[in-house]
């Protein structure tokens, strides 16, 4: 693991016990609706009544996994397995308390401990920004997904262009968020990292281009809450795949 990746993972380890509460306070609960909408849209696009495997990469404390199951139940979709993968053991410890019968594996997006062509849906929520080798992660998603399997990304992307809201957003993220983040989690560095990492990250359009280059077809891309959240759903069009050595 490179130094930068190591630092990111240990940061998540250190805030794990307060991550959920900080998340709810800082997003004012709106993240729940972003998750719900993304999962519903993915099920609509995938359009199968029985799904073998969903893998939530960068699962953290497991919130998206809970939505995959809850929405599947509400739509009468039979979901056989859902696996959470994350390099942070402490984040996954919290997830395990919330989902006692879930399957969890420690691992990185750029080196998934999964078989080739076996996963129906791969999701990654607010995780791809933390992956230092994004192109490798996209290759891995293409490898583990079945042909026509879906990749679902939720992320805070960099703004395409400035609007009147950009100024308010900047003040909130660079001044208010680290302050509240420190109060709730005891760690201001982690909540300073968030706006910095968004600034250094791709725009939604750039991310979509990278996905197309990695062999995905974009099926859905939408910004929510004045561009605070981006959801992208893409179909795996990779035909030839290399088995993992
Ligand atoms: C902001 S949290 C998101 C957690 C969860 N998906 C959610 O929606 O709340 C980011 C997660 O990405 C994980 N992470 C960091 N680097 C990663 C990598 N290279 N591969 C996979 N996960 C990574 C962190 O450990 C952390 O749990």
């Amino acid at each position: 693991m490179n130094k930068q990746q190591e630092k990111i993972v240990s940061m998540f380890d250190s805030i794990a016990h307060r991550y959920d509460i900080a998340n709810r306070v800082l997003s004012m609960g709106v993240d729940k609706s972003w998750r719900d909408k993304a999962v519903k849209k993915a099920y609509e696009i995938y359009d199968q009544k029985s799904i073998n495997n969903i893998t939530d990469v960068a699962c953290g404390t497991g919130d998206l996994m809970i939505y995959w199951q809850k929405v599947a139940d509400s739509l009468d979709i039979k979901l056989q397995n859902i696996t959470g993968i994350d390099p942070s053991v402490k984040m996954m410890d919290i997830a395990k308390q919330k989902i006692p019968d879930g399957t969890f594996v420690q691992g990185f997006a750029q080196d998934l401990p999964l078989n080739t062509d076996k996963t129906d849906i791969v999701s990654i929520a607010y995780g791809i920004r933390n992956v230092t080798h994004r192109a490798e992660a996209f290759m891995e998603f293409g490898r583990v997904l079945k042909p026509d399997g879906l990749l679902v990304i939720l992320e805070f992307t960099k703004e395409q262009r400035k609007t009147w809201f950009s100024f308010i957003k900047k003040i909130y993220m660079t001044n208010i968020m680290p302050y509240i983040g420190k109060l709730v989690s005891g760690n201001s560095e982690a909540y300073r990292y968030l706006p910095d990492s968004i600034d250094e990250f791709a725009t939604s359009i750039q991310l979509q281009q990278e996905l197309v280059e990695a062999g995905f077809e974009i099926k859905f891309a939408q910004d929510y809450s004045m561009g605070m959240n981006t959801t992208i759903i893409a179909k795996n069009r990779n035909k030839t795949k290399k088995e993992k050595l």
Side-chain angles (χ1 to χ4, degrees):
M1 196 193 333
N2 67 53
K3 279 261 178 286
Q4 194 196 349
Q5 190 68 87
E6 207 173 306
K7 205 172 150 206
I8 293 170
V9 176
S10 73
M11 187 186 74
F12 281 105
D13 269 334
S14 73
I15 59 165
H17 62 298
R18 305 293 286 167
Y19 175 83
D20 280 348
I21 175 88
N23 218 5
R24 288 296 104 77
V25 172
L26 292 169
S27 80
M28 294 174 242
V30 196
D31 69 296
K32 290 184 180 183
S33 102
W34 300 334
R35 293 173 198 276
D36 188 57
K37 286 195 174 96
V39 165
K40 282 187 177 142
K41 193 72 199 173
Y43 281 140
E44 182 192 314
I45 294 172
Y46 203 52
D47 196 23
Q48 311 255 343
K49 276 293 169 197
S50 176
I51 297 179
N52 284 334
N53 282 307
I54 294 183
T55 298
D56 188 35
V57 180
C59 67
T61 58
D63 276 4
L64 198 66
M65 292 170 75
I66 293 172
Y67 274 89
W68 281 122
Q69 190 60 63
K70 194 167 86 175
V71 177
D73 293 345
S74 75
L75 297 174
D76 217 12
I77 294 170
K78 203 165 167 2
L79 176 55
Q80 313 276 3
N81 292 297
I82 169 144
T83 303
I85 296 184
D86 200 290
S88 163
V89 173
K90 297 228 167 108
M91 290 288 275
M92 279 197 299
D93 281 346
I94 308 284
K96 284 176 195 165
Q97 287 166 24
K98 286 154 69 179
I99 316 165
D101 53 355
T103 307
F104 294 94
V105 188
Q106 191 185 11
F108 288 93
Q110 56 271 43
D111 186 16
L112 290 173
L114 296 174
N115 291 329
T116 300
D117 267 358
K118 291 279 183 281
T119 307
D120 293 273
I121 299 176
V122 166
S123 57
I124 180 160
Y126 316 107
I128 195 69
R129 207 175 2 96
N130 303 300
V131 175
T132 52
H133 295 73
R134 196 157 65 236
E136 285 173 27
F138 288 161
M139 267 174 65
E140 275 292 82
F141 298 161
R143 178 185 68 80
V144 302
L145 276 169
K146 293 177 180 174
D148 296 338
L150 289 189
L151 171 63
V152 180
I153 298 178
L154 285 84
E155 195 48 273
F156 304 119
T157 51
K158 190 170 155 178
E159 281 177 324
Q160 192 75 27
R161 59 188 167 81
K162 301 262 180 260
T163 63
W164 64 269
F165 185 65
S166 310
F167 180 66
I168 299 171
K169 194 161 123 186
K170 187 148 182 84
I171 294 197
Y172 177 68
M173 291 191 112
T174 52
N175 299 312
I176 302 171
M177 192 181 266
Y179 180 72
I180 302 176
K182 183 173 181 184
L183 277 182
V184 181
S185 75
N187 184 329
S188 63
E189 197 205 338
Y191 292 92
R192 253 181 241 296
Y193 162 77
L194 182 63
D196 290 350
S197 65
I198 298 171
D199 259 357
E200 285 162 21
F201 192 57
T203 64
S204 170
I205 301 288
Q206 284 165 346
L207 204 56
Q208 290 173 54
Q209 278 162 355
E210 289 177 21
L211 286 169
V212 169
E213 277 160 28
F216 287 89
E217 180 192 340
I218 308 298
K219 300 302 283 182
F220 177 81
Q222 178 133 2
D223 288 347
Y224 294 96
S225 311
M226 303 205 184
M228 290 286 281
N229 173 80
T230 298
T231 296
I232 299 174
I233 303 177
K235 195 170 260 199
N236 186 26
R237 294 297 193 198
N238 286 283
K239 295 264 181 309
T240 48
K241 297 184 184 180
K242 286 198 186 102
E243 285 287 340
K244 207 169 166 173
L245 297 174

